[in-house]
Amino acid sequence: MAEAADELSAPLGQETVAKKRRFQVPFTATQALAVMLGLILVTFAGIALFNDDPLGGEPIAHIALRKAPVAEEKPAAAGPAAEPAAKSPPRQASGESKTVTIIDGSSGARHDVVIGGDATDKAESDAAPGPMAGIDQRLLEKSRYGMIPMVADGLRPFTVYAADADRAKAAKTPVVAIVVGGLGVGAAKTTDAITKLPPAVTLAFTPYGADPTKLAERARAQRHEILLQVPMEPFDYPDNDPGPQTLLTTLNAEQNLDRLYWHFSRIQGYAGIANFMGARFVATDPVMQPIMREAAKRGLSYFDDGATPRSVAASLAAGQALPFAKADFTIDAVPTSVEIDRMLVKLETLARERGVAVGVASALPISIERLAAWTKTLEARGILLVPLTTAMLKSKSG
């Protein structure tokens, strides 16, 4: 009847297509995928909530650890002559660091900075350097960083630690002094300078390195005169940073002197101090004055490496009656055999003209090689190689 009613109500001239029933699913494919994802998320959430593993979800690597085989101790042979086997002492850890106090340039606050070391014993690494052999204990004063130089009983480090020289001959002969700097960092190059250069060559040590005390002591044992190089602020600081405890133009006198005492304590037995870098610092009169005054007070000398023509060190040294010398030439500014030999000839010429000439070099292998060869023939050409202190005294008397 329903179909008849449909046919009666259909428009004339059109076929009526019977409607067919289709099976319809209760949800679409997209809905089904959403349900599956929801179930997965619920499953992971349950694992995360109810699992006690604190590393759940983290990648895990399984590493097999195997103990090294330990040799069984064999009992000592019985009898009165038997002795227990000696046990070798445990090895100390290497690569210990050293903590130093630095004063902030803007706030004045103190904070610790760790610098690398290569000490074999931590207790020894953390302690201040001990006294070196052949040091006059009367010329040492205790500071919070360790022992620092002083004047006592009319004696000055400048005179006590000056290397031996024929000063009578030096007074009437053209003399040349050579200072090799940057030592103490790099045991190999320092050892080469100590052993391959004659004792009359003065060696300058930076305060850094694993064991500057030991290397400085070895240099003095080989009869070298030594200097302490004090890191000072260059023009491009801090992009070019000399190292921890650098003297800065932004610090006041008390702060820079505190840093100077730290440098003073690193080695002993030096006749004077020298700038390490420091083009800005040595050209700034207000910050240099306290440093030069302190050097004079403690019986030291001052060596200017000649890196900046604007240095005020010479005038300040004269005002303090401080033994002083300035390098005339940097011998290895161009580190080739030809250029080094050329600079050495210039030193000889200046020594003949003026009576005294001073050169400075670094401990490059080529520099040490050329200096060692040059010094062997120098006296035959009528020029005397002398320690820096002798050149200072001759310049002062002249």
Side-chain angles (χ1 to χ4, degrees):
M1 292 293 292
E3 290 179 1
D6 288 341
E7 290 176 358
L8 290 174
S9 61
L12 294 175
Q14 295 185 5
E15 285 190 28
T16 301
V17 180
K19 294 182 178 179
K20 297 180 181 179
R21 291 182 174 271
R22 294 185 302 173
F23 174 77
Q24 295 181 346
V25 295
F27 44 77
T28 65
T30 302
Q31 292 172 330
L33 180 60
V35 170
M36 292 177 64
L37 289 175
L39 290 174
I40 293 172
L41 290 174
V42 170
T43 302
F44 276 108
I47 293 173
L49 288 172
F50 301 107
N51 187 14
D52 281 339
D53 184 7
L55 298 179
E58 295 291 333
I60 299 176
H62 296 278
I63 302 174
L65 299 178
R66 297 182 177 85
K67 291 185 177 180
V70 180
E72 294 183 359
E73 292 187 4
K74 296 181 180 179
E83 296 182 3
K87 294 183 179 180
S88 58
R91 294 181 63 184
Q92 302 291 338
S94 61
E96 299 293 349
S97 61
K98 196 182 294 292
T99 303
V100 298
T101 302
I102 290 184
I103 305 175
D104 185 81
S106 57
S107 65
R110 297 174 183 270
H111 58 278
D112 292 336
V113 171
V114 178
I115 60 175
D118 194 25
T120 56
D121 184 89
K122 189 176 189 308
E124 181 181 341
S125 173
D126 290 339
M132 291 165 51
I135 301 300
D136 191 329
Q137 298 300 310
R138 295 172 297 174
L139 303 182
L140 292 177
E141 177 184 359
K142 188 174 182 180
S143 75
R144 73 190 190 96
Y145 297 116
M147 305 306 287
I148 63 176
M150 64 176 291
V151 175
D153 300 332
L155 299 175
R156 298 183 300 161
F158 172 74
T159 53
V160 172
Y161 301 128
D164 294 333
D166 188 344
R167 291 180 182 168
K169 184 176 181 181
K172 53 188 178 182
T173 306
V175 301
V176 168
I178 300 292
V179 177
V180 174
L183 302 178
V185 177
K189 71 173 184 178
T190 302
T191 300
D192 279 350
I194 292 171
T195 57
K196 295 181 180 180
L197 296 175
V201 173
T202 299
L203 303 180
F205 286 77
T206 68
Y208 309 127
D211 196 349
T213 297
K214 181 178 179 181
L215 293 169
E217 187 171 15
R218 183 174 181 182
R220 294 188 69 250
Q222 294 293 320
R223 299 181 292 120
H224 287 282
E225 182 174 275
I226 66 172
L227 301 176
L228 171 68
Q229 288 182 287
V230 178
M232 301 179 183
E233 179 185 349
F235 279 112
D236 50 354
Y237 181 87
D239 293 333
N240 191 8
D241 188 352
Q245 302 285 47
T246 294
L247 307 190
L248 301 174
T249 57
T250 54
L251 300 181
N252 62 37
E254 181 184 358
Q255 292 168 330
N256 274 324
L257 287 176
D258 186 79
R259 293 187 171 204
L260 183 64
Y261 293 162
W262 183 86
H263 295 301
F264 277 166
S265 71
R266 305 319 297 162
I267 62 173
Q268 295 152 8
Y270 44 92
I273 62 174
N275 63 296
F276 179 65
M277 302 173 62
R280 181 190 296 275
F281 195 91
V282 300
T284 309
D285 192 285
V287 294
M288 273 294 285
Q289 280 189 18
I291 304 304
M292 301 296 278
R293 191 161 50 242
E294 191 70 18
K297 171 186 171 183
R298 297 191 173 276
L300 300 168
S301 60
Y302 185 87
F303 174 65
D304 188 318
D305 67 4
T308 175
R310 295 195 289 171
S311 173
V312 297
S315 60
L316 293 177
Q320 296 290 332
L322 177 68
F324 174 83
K326 182 176 182 177
D328 297 300
F329 301 111
T330 299
I331 296 167
D332 53 359
V334 180
T336 64
S337 297
V338 172
E339 284 301 310
I340 291 173
D341 291 347
R342 188 176 71 85
M343 297 306 294
L344 292 173
V345 171
K346 290 183 69 173
L347 269 181
E348 292 182 36
T349 302
L350 184 60
R352 291 190 181 95
E353 293 173 353
R354 200 176 61 188
V356 180
V358 180
V360 64
S362 55
L364 297 172
I366 186 63
S367 305
I368 294 175
E369 175 194 328
R370 298 316 305 153
L371 282 169
W374 174 75
T375 56
K376 291 176 182 177
T377 62
L378 187 60
E379 192 168 359
R381 296 194 296 279
I383 297 177
L384 187 64
L385 179 68
V386 297
L388 183 67
T389 53
T390 301
M392 288 177 170
L393 292 172
K394 179 168 181 173
S395 295
K396 184 178 179 180
S397 62

